[in-house]
């Protein structure tokens, strides 16, 4: 059954999820904490729709494959088709904002990177992209004013601010549309701030976003 994005009022988006376009290292402090260079252009990759699960369902990541790391990110729901869009066109095409977890098989990713191999399998596994419901956008928000947080078992682990993005939302979405046509129902993950780490078994996660969006979920043992 295909994943259908949902708004916070309970209404389904009229299109099923197509693809999830992501950016790596969009926060300088996160790049540094993993000993990665700070990029001068967006580092893009894609997660398939089959990696998406709702954040209101218990998370069941493949712990048997090594360490699973959490990475909270601002998620954008695309409402119009975009190809080679301008920044203005790009931000007007965003139908909603929410939160996503870019779950990462860190041991798998490290081994693949050491060999110079692509590391999609460390990011694109089933259940690797839990998504919240989306806040509807009636107008373009102040992207720099958006903040989001992740708490694990009551402890703040990540705090992100739109003003700290290396590639701001309008610029980022426009750049993505130069490489991949974006369709209604696609979701964009905009990068994670510093503070990533191993996802504990049995943990309780709480996520929040400016505008009143909150989501809680438990990790299975």
């Amino acid at each position: 059954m295909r994943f259908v994005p949902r708004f916070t009022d309970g209404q389904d988006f009229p299109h099923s999820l197509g693809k999830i376009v992501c950016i790596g290292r969009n926060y300088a402090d996160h790049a540094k904490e993993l000993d990665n260079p700070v990029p001068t252009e967006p580092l893009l990759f894609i997660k398939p729709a089959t990696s998406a699960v709702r954040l209101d369902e218990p998370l069941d990541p493949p712990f048997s494959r090594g360490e699973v790391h959490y990475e909270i990110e601002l998620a954008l729901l695309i409402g119009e088709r975009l190809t080679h869009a301008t920044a203005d066109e790009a931000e007007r095409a965003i139908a909603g904002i929410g939160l996503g977890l870019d779950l990462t098989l860190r041991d798998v990713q490290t081994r693949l990177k050491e060999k110079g191999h692509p590391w999609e399998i460390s990011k694109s596994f089933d259940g690797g992209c839990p998504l919240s419901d989306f806040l509807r956008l009636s107008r373009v928000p102040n992207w720099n004013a958006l903040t989001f947080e992740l708490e694990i078992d009551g402890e703040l682990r990540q705090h992100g601010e739109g003003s700290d993005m290396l590639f701001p939302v309008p610029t980022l979405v426009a750049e993505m549309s130069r490489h991949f046509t974006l369709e209604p129902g696609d979701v964009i993950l905009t990068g994670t701030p510093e503070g990533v780490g191993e996802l504990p078994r049995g943990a309780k996660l709480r996520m929040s976003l400016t505008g009143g969006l909150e989501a809680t979920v438990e990790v299975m043992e």
Side-chain angles (χ1 to χ4, degrees):
M1 185 175 181
R2 292 189 65 85
F3 185 99
V4 178
R6 188 173 60 195
F7 290 109
T8 53
D9 62 8
Q11 184 174 352
D12 285 343
F13 189 65
H15 301 273
S16 59
L17 175 61
K19 58 185 174 293
I20 304 161
V21 186
C22 311
I23 178 172
R25 308 175 200 168
N26 199 22
Y27 290 80
D29 287 343
H30 168 61
K32 293 173 183 176
E33 74 177 342
L34 295 183
D35 294 323
N36 289 318
V38 176
T40 57
E41 59 183 7
L43 175 62
L44 305 180
F45 62 96
I46 290 177
K47 285 176 175 266
T50 49
S51 68
V53 292
R54 297 199 188 281
L55 265 175
D56 55 8
E57 302 171 357
L59 304 184
D60 187 20
F63 290 114
S64 62
R65 298 175 65 186
E67 283 192 7
V68 180
H69 280 210
Y70 58 82
E71 299 182 10
I72 190 174
E73 309 198 11
L74 174 69
L76 313 174
L77 176 61
I78 298 300
E80 299 177 16
R81 192 173 192 267
L82 293 173
T83 302
H84 295 275
T86 66
D88 286 344
E89 291 169 338
E91 66 179 351
R92 288 198 300 269
I94 299 170
I97 56 174
L99 294 170
L101 285 174
D102 175 16
L103 297 183
T104 303
L105 301 177
R106 192 69 74 198
D107 292 338
V108 173
Q109 185 187 44
T110 299
R111 288 196 299 270
L112 291 169
K113 288 172 68 176
E114 288 174 348
K115 296 177 181 179
H117 293 171
W119 35 263
E120 278 84 353
I121 61 174
S122 70
K123 294 277 193 178
S124 299
F125 55 94
D126 290 358
C129 189
L131 292 171
S132 74
D133 292 348
F134 289 85
L135 293 166
R136 292 181 185 272
L137 289 185
S138 57
R139 56 184 175 80
V140 174
N142 179 352
W143 300 109
N144 285 340
L146 292 179
T147 64
F148 55 97
E149 292 183 339
L150 169 66
E151 295 179 4
I152 298 181
D153 291 332
E155 178 184 347
L156 180 64
R157 296 293 184 91
Q158 289 187 273
H159 173 87
E161 300 188 10
S163 58
D164 290 334
M165 291 184 183
L166 295 174
F167 305 99
V169 165
T171 303
L172 174 61
V173 178
E175 176 67 13
M176 287 176 169
S177 79
R178 291 181 56 244
H179 302 282
F180 323 105
T181 295
L182 300 175
E183 301 278 6
D186 286 350
V187 166
I188 291 172
L189 295 186
T190 57
T192 194
E194 66 175 326
V196 303
E198 185 175 0
L199 183 68
R201 296 172 185 258
K204 294 183 179 180
L205 279 57
R206 176 184 177 274
M207 291 144 281
S208 59
L209 168 66
T210 303
L213 177 65
E214 291 192 7
T216 58
V217 68
E218 293 189 7
V219 183
M220 296 182 67
E221 294 281 356

